[in-house]
mmCIF file with all atom_site columns, all heavy atoms in Angstrom:
data_model
loop_
_atom_site.group_PDB
_atom_site.id
_atom_site.type_symbol
_atom_site.label_atom_id
_atom_site.label_alt_id
_atom_site.label_comp_id
_atom_site.label_asym_id
_atom_site.label_entity_id
_atom_site.label_seq_id
_atom_site.pdbx_PDB_ins_code
_atom_site.Cartn_x
_atom_site.Cartn_y
_atom_site.Cartn_z
_atom_site.occupancy
_atom_site.B_iso_or_equiv
_atom_site.pdbx_formal_charge
_atom_site.auth_seq_id
_atom_site.auth_comp_id
_atom_site.auth_asym_id
_atom_site.auth_atom_id
_atom_site.pdbx_PDB_model_num
ATOM 1   N N   . LEU A 1 229 ? 38.774 49.216 -6.177 1.00 76.00 ? 295 LEU A N   1
ATOM 2   C CA  . LEU A 1 229 ? 37.460 49.920 -6.290 1.00 76.00 ? 295 LEU A CA  1
ATOM 3   C C   . LEU A 1 229 ? 37.790 51.434 -6.422 1.00 76.00 ? 295 LEU A C   1
ATOM 4   O O   . LEU A 1 229 ? 38.498 51.965 -5.482 1.00 76.00 ? 295 LEU A O   1
ATOM 5   C CB  . LEU A 1 229 ? 36.595 49.649 -5.112 1.00 76.00 ? 295 LEU A CB  1
ATOM 6   C CG  . LEU A 1 229 ? 35.276 50.374 -4.962 1.00 76.00 ? 295 LEU A CG  1
ATOM 7   C CD1 . LEU A 1 229 ? 34.294 49.985 -6.003 1.00 76.00 ? 295 LEU A CD1 1
ATOM 8   C CD2 . LEU A 1 229 ? 34.646 50.064 -3.585 1.00 76.00 ? 295 LEU A CD2 1
ATOM 9   N N   . ALA A 1 253 ? 31.398 44.297 -2.797 1.00 79.00 ? 319 ALA A N   1
ATOM 10  C CA  . ALA A 1 253 ? 31.597 45.337 -1.880 1.00 79.00 ? 319 ALA A CA  1
ATOM 11  C C   . ALA A 1 253 ? 30.597 45.162 -0.659 1.00 79.00 ? 319 ALA A C   1
ATOM 12  O O   . ALA A 1 253 ? 30.810 45.941 0.325  1.00 79.00 ? 319 ALA A O   1
ATOM 13  C CB  . ALA A 1 253 ? 31.427 46.687 -2.524 1.00 79.00 ? 319 ALA A CB  1
ATOM 14  N N   . CYS A 1 254 ? 29.613 44.347 -0.786 1.00 82.00 ? 320 CYS A N   1
ATOM 15  C CA  . CYS A 1 254 ? 28.597 44.282 0.265  1.00 82.00 ? 320 CYS A CA  1
ATOM 16  C C   . CYS A 1 254 ? 29.138 43.676 1.522  1.00 82.00 ? 320 CYS A C   1
ATOM 17  O O   . CYS A 1 254 ? 28.788 44.086 2.597  1.00 82.00 ? 320 CYS A O   1
ATOM 18  C CB  . CYS A 1 254 ? 27.423 43.338 -0.328 1.00 82.00 ? 320 CYS A CB  1
ATOM 19  S SG  . CYS A 1 254 ? 25.947 43.372 0.749  1.00 82.00 ? 320 CYS A SG  1
ATOM 20  N N   . LEU A 1 258 ? 38.357 45.974 3.457  1.00 73.00 ? 324 LEU A N   1
ATOM 21  C CA  . LEU A 1 258 ? 38.742 47.115 2.686  1.00 73.00 ? 324 LEU A CA  1
ATOM 22  C C   . LEU A 1 258 ? 40.063 47.751 3.181  1.00 73.00 ? 324 LEU A C   1
ATOM 23  O O   . LEU A 1 258 ? 40.292 47.759 4.478  1.00 73.00 ? 324 LEU A O   1
ATOM 24  C CB  . LEU A 1 258 ? 37.674 48.224 2.719  1.00 73.00 ? 324 LEU A CB  1
ATOM 25  C CG  . LEU A 1 258 ? 36.256 47.738 2.305  1.00 73.00 ? 324 LEU A CG  1
ATOM 26  C CD1 . LEU A 1 258 ? 35.239 48.847 2.565  1.00 73.00 ? 324 LEU A CD1 1
ATOM 27  C CD2 . LEU A 1 258 ? 36.139 47.307 0.839  1.00 73.00 ? 324 LEU A CD2 1
ATOM 28  N N   . THR A 1 277 ? 33.845 45.765 6.087  1.00 79.00 ? 343 THR A N   1
ATOM 29  C CA  . THR A 1 277 ? 32.467 46.193 5.897  1.00 79.00 ? 343 THR A CA  1
ATOM 30  C C   . THR A 1 277 ? 31.551 45.808 6.948  1.00 79.00 ? 343 THR A C   1
ATOM 31  O O   . THR A 1 277 ? 30.767 46.621 7.536  1.00 79.00 ? 343 THR A O   1
ATOM 32  C CB  . THR A 1 277 ? 31.923 45.649 4.614  1.00 79.00 ? 343 THR A CB  1
ATOM 33  O OG1 . THR A 1 277 ? 32.937 45.890 3.575  1.00 79.00 ? 343 THR A OG1 1
ATOM 34  C CG2 . THR A 1 277 ? 30.664 46.389 4.203  1.00 79.00 ? 343 THR A CG2 1
ATOM 35  N N   . HIS A 1 308 ? 23.922 43.876 2.946  1.00 92.00 ? 374 HIS A N   1
ATOM 36  C CA  . HIS A 1 308 ? 23.249 45.198 3.224  1.00 92.00 ? 374 HIS A CA  1
ATOM 37  C C   . HIS A 1 308 ? 22.016 45.314 2.521  1.00 92.00 ? 374 HIS A C   1
ATOM 38  O O   . HIS A 1 308 ? 22.013 45.317 1.254  1.00 92.00 ? 374 HIS A O   1
ATOM 39  C CB  . HIS A 1 308 ? 24.246 46.384 2.839  1.00 92.00 ? 374 HIS A CB  1
ATOM 40  C CG  . HIS A 1 308 ? 25.428 46.447 3.751  1.00 92.00 ? 374 HIS A CG  1
ATOM 41  N ND1 . HIS A 1 308 ? 26.462 45.556 3.801  1.00 92.00 ? 374 HIS A ND1 1
ATOM 42  C CD2 . HIS A 1 308 ? 25.731 47.442 4.629  1.00 92.00 ? 374 HIS A CD2 1
ATOM 43  C CE1 . HIS A 1 308 ? 27.322 45.954 4.704  1.00 92.00 ? 374 HIS A CE1 1
ATOM 44  N NE2 . HIS A 1 308 ? 26.978 47.034 5.192  1.00 92.00 ? 374 HIS A NE2 1
ATOM 45  N N   . VAL A 1 310 ? 19.842 47.960 2.224  1.00 91.00 ? 376 VAL A N   1
ATOM 46  C CA  . VAL A 1 310 ? 20.237 49.099 1.400  1.00 91.00 ? 376 VAL A CA  1
ATOM 47  C C   . VAL A 1 310 ? 21.657 49.035 1.126  1.00 91.00 ? 376 VAL A C   1
ATOM 48  O O   . VAL A 1 310 ? 22.503 49.080 2.062  1.00 91.00 ? 376 VAL A O   1
ATOM 49  C CB  . VAL A 1 310 ? 19.892 50.430 2.146  1.00 91.00 ? 376 VAL A CB  1
ATOM 50  C CG1 . VAL A 1 310 ? 20.309 51.703 1.338  1.00 91.00 ? 376 VAL A CG1 1
ATOM 51  C CG2 . VAL A 1 310 ? 18.385 50.510 2.495  1.00 91.00 ? 376 VAL A CG2 1
ATOM 52  N N   . HIS A 1 311 ? 22.054 48.888 -0.113 1.00 88.00 ? 377 HIS A N   1
ATOM 53  C CA  . HIS A 1 311 ? 23.407 48.446 -0.432 1.00 88.00 ? 377 HIS A CA  1
ATOM 54  C C   . HIS A 1 311 ? 24.488 49.457 0.191  1.00 88.00 ? 377 HIS A C   1
ATOM 55  O O   . HIS A 1 311 ? 24.305 50.665 0.254  1.00 88.00 ? 377 HIS A O   1
ATOM 56  C CB  . HIS A 1 311 ? 23.635 48.475 -1.886 1.00 88.00 ? 377 HIS A CB  1
ATOM 57  C CG  . HIS A 1 311 ? 22.857 47.344 -2.572 1.00 88.00 ? 377 HIS A CG  1
ATOM 58  N ND1 . HIS A 1 311 ? 22.620 47.218 -3.963 1.00 88.00 ? 377 HIS A ND1 1
ATOM 59  C CD2 . HIS A 1 311 ? 22.044 46.386 -2.105 1.00 88.00 ? 377 HIS A CD2 1
ATOM 60  C CE1 . HIS A 1 311 ? 21.815 46.248 -4.255 1.00 88.00 ? 377 HIS A CE1 1
ATOM 61  N NE2 . HIS A 1 311 ? 21.498 45.631 -3.089 1.00 88.00 ? 377 HIS A NE2 1
ATOM 62  N N   . TRP A 1 312 ? 25.599 48.826 0.585  1.00 83.00 ? 378 TRP A N   1
ATOM 63  C CA  . TRP A 1 312 ? 26.642 49.538 1.132  1.00 83.00 ? 378 TRP A CA  1
ATOM 64  C C   . TRP A 1 312 ? 27.203 50.675 0.254  1.00 83.00 ? 378 TRP A C   1
ATOM 65  O O   . TRP A 1 312 ? 27.463 51.720 0.645  1.00 83.00 ? 378 TRP A O   1
ATOM 66  C CB  . TRP A 1 312 ? 27.757 48.528 1.508  1.00 83.00 ? 378 TRP A CB  1
ATOM 67  C CG  . TRP A 1 312 ? 29.059 49.262 2.001  1.00 83.00 ? 378 TRP A CG  1
ATOM 68  C CD1 . TRP A 1 312 ? 29.291 49.589 3.320  1.00 83.00 ? 378 TRP A CD1 1
ATOM 69  C CD2 . TRP A 1 312 ? 30.190 49.556 1.243  1.00 83.00 ? 378 TRP A CD2 1
ATOM 70  N NE1 . TRP A 1 312 ? 30.552 50.175 3.366  1.00 83.00 ? 378 TRP A NE1 1
ATOM 71  C CE2 . TRP A 1 312 ? 31.160 50.143 2.139  1.00 83.00 ? 378 TRP A CE2 1
ATOM 72  C CE3 . TRP A 1 312 ? 30.591 49.448 -0.096 1.00 83.00 ? 378 TRP A CE3 1
ATOM 73  C CZ2 . TRP A 1 312 ? 32.407 50.637 1.775  1.00 83.00 ? 378 TRP A CZ2 1
ATOM 74  C CZ3 . TRP A 1 312 ? 31.790 49.926 -0.526 1.00 83.00 ? 378 TRP A CZ3 1
ATOM 75  C CH2 . TRP A 1 312 ? 32.710 50.504 0.404  1.00 83.00 ? 378 TRP A CH2 1
ATOM 76  N N   . GLU A 1 313 ? 27.182 50.355 -1.048 1.00 81.00 ? 379 GLU A N   1
ATOM 77  C CA  . GLU A 1 313 ? 27.670 51.343 -2.081 1.00 81.00 ? 379 GLU A CA  1
ATOM 78  C C   . GLU A 1 313 ? 26.735 52.533 -2.112 1.00 81.00 ? 379 GLU A C   1
ATOM 79  O O   . GLU A 1 313 ? 27.118 53.617 -2.480 1.00 81.00 ? 379 GLU A O   1
ATOM 80  C CB  . GLU A 1 313 ? 27.815 50.627 -3.425 1.00 81.00 ? 379 GLU A CB  1
ATOM 81  C CG  . GLU A 1 313 ? 28.412 51.427 -4.528 1.00 81.00 ? 379 GLU A CG  1
ATOM 82  C CD  . GLU A 1 313 ? 28.573 50.627 -5.844 1.00 81.00 ? 379 GLU A CD  1
ATOM 83  O OE1 . GLU A 1 313 ? 29.503 49.791 -5.822 1.00 81.00 ? 379 GLU A OE1 1
ATOM 84  O OE2 . GLU A 1 313 ? 27.796 50.917 -6.733 1.00 81.00 ? 379 GLU A OE2 1
ATOM 85  N N   . ASP A 1 314 ? 25.470 52.291 -1.838 1.00 83.00 ? 380 ASP A N   1
ATOM 86  C CA  . ASP A 1 314 ? 24.525 53.377 -1.874 1.00 83.00 ? 380 ASP A CA  1
ATOM 87  C C   . ASP A 1 314 ? 24.339 54.129 -0.578 1.00 83.00 ? 380 ASP A C   1
ATOM 88  O O   . ASP A 1 314 ? 23.428 54.910 -0.272 1.00 83.00 ? 380 ASP A O   1
ATOM 89  C CB  . ASP A 1 314 ? 23.119 52.861 -2.225 1.00 83.00 ? 380 ASP A CB  1
ATOM 90  C CG  . ASP A 1 314 ? 23.111 52.232 -3.657 1.00 83.00 ? 380 ASP A CG  1
ATOM 91  O OD1 . ASP A 1 314 ? 23.967 52.685 -4.476 1.00 83.00 ? 380 ASP A OD1 1
ATOM 92  O OD2 . ASP A 1 314 ? 22.355 51.348 -3.879 1.00 83.00 ? 380 ASP A OD2 1
ATOM 93  N N   . GLY A 1 315 ? 25.297 53.849 0.424  1.00 83.00 ? 381 GLY A N   1
ATOM 94  C CA  . GLY A 1 315 ? 25.264 54.515 1.689  1.00 83.00 ? 381 GLY A CA  1
ATOM 95  C C   . GLY A 1 315 ? 24.534 53.800 2.794  1.00 83.00 ? 381 GLY A C   1
ATOM 96  O O   . GLY A 1 315 ? 24.245 54.325 3.809  1.00 83.00 ? 381 GLY A O   1
ATOM 97  N N   . GLY A 1 316 ? 24.131 52.502 2.531  1.00 87.00 ? 382 GLY A N   1
ATOM 98  C CA  . GLY A 1 316 ? 23.353 51.711 3.528  1.00 87.00 ? 382 GLY A CA  1
ATOM 99  C C   . GLY A 1 316 ? 24.236 51.553 4.713  1.00 87.00 ? 382 GLY A C   1
ATOM 100 O O   . GLY A 1 316 ? 25.441 51.120 4.660  1.00 87.00 ? 382 GLY A O   1
ATOM 101 N N   . THR A 1 318 ? 25.986 49.955 8.119  1.00 88.00 ? 384 THR A N   1
ATOM 102 C CA  . THR A 1 318 ? 26.347 48.672 8.620  1.00 88.00 ? 384 THR A CA  1
ATOM 103 C C   . THR A 1 318 ? 25.792 48.525 10.053 1.00 88.00 ? 384 THR A C   1
ATOM 104 O O   . THR A 1 318 ? 26.472 48.522 11.061 1.00 88.00 ? 384 THR A O   1
ATOM 105 C CB  . THR A 1 318 ? 27.826 48.476 8.592  1.00 88.00 ? 384 THR A CB  1
ATOM 106 O OG1 . THR A 1 318 ? 28.280 48.684 7.259  1.00 88.00 ? 384 THR A OG1 1
ATOM 107 C CG2 . THR A 1 318 ? 28.231 47.060 9.011  1.00 88.00 ? 384 THR A CG2 1
ATOM 108 N N   . ASN A 1 322 ? 19.757 46.923 8.944  1.00 92.00 ? 388 ASN A N   1
ATOM 109 C CA  . ASN A 1 322 ? 19.954 46.913 7.571  1.00 92.00 ? 388 ASN A CA  1
ATOM 110 C C   . ASN A 1 322 ? 20.748 45.730 7.063  1.00 92.00 ? 388 ASN A C   1
ATOM 111 O O   . ASN A 1 322 ? 21.259 45.700 5.953  1.00 92.00 ? 388 ASN A O   1
ATOM 112 C CB  . ASN A 1 322 ? 20.745 48.205 7.223  1.00 92.00 ? 388 ASN A CB  1
ATOM 113 C CG  . ASN A 1 322 ? 20.830 48.433 5.637  1.00 92.00 ? 388 ASN A CG  1
ATOM 114 O OD1 . ASN A 1 322 ? 19.814 48.326 4.941  1.00 92.00 ? 388 ASN A OD1 1
ATOM 115 N ND2 . ASN A 1 322 ? 22.005 48.691 5.168  1.00 92.00 ? 388 ASN A ND2 1
#
Side-chain angles (χ1 to χ4, degrees):
L295 176 66
C320 194
L324 307 173
T343 309
H374 288 70
V376 177
H377 294 172
W378 175 83
E379 189 177 285
D380 297 333
T384 305
N388 191 48

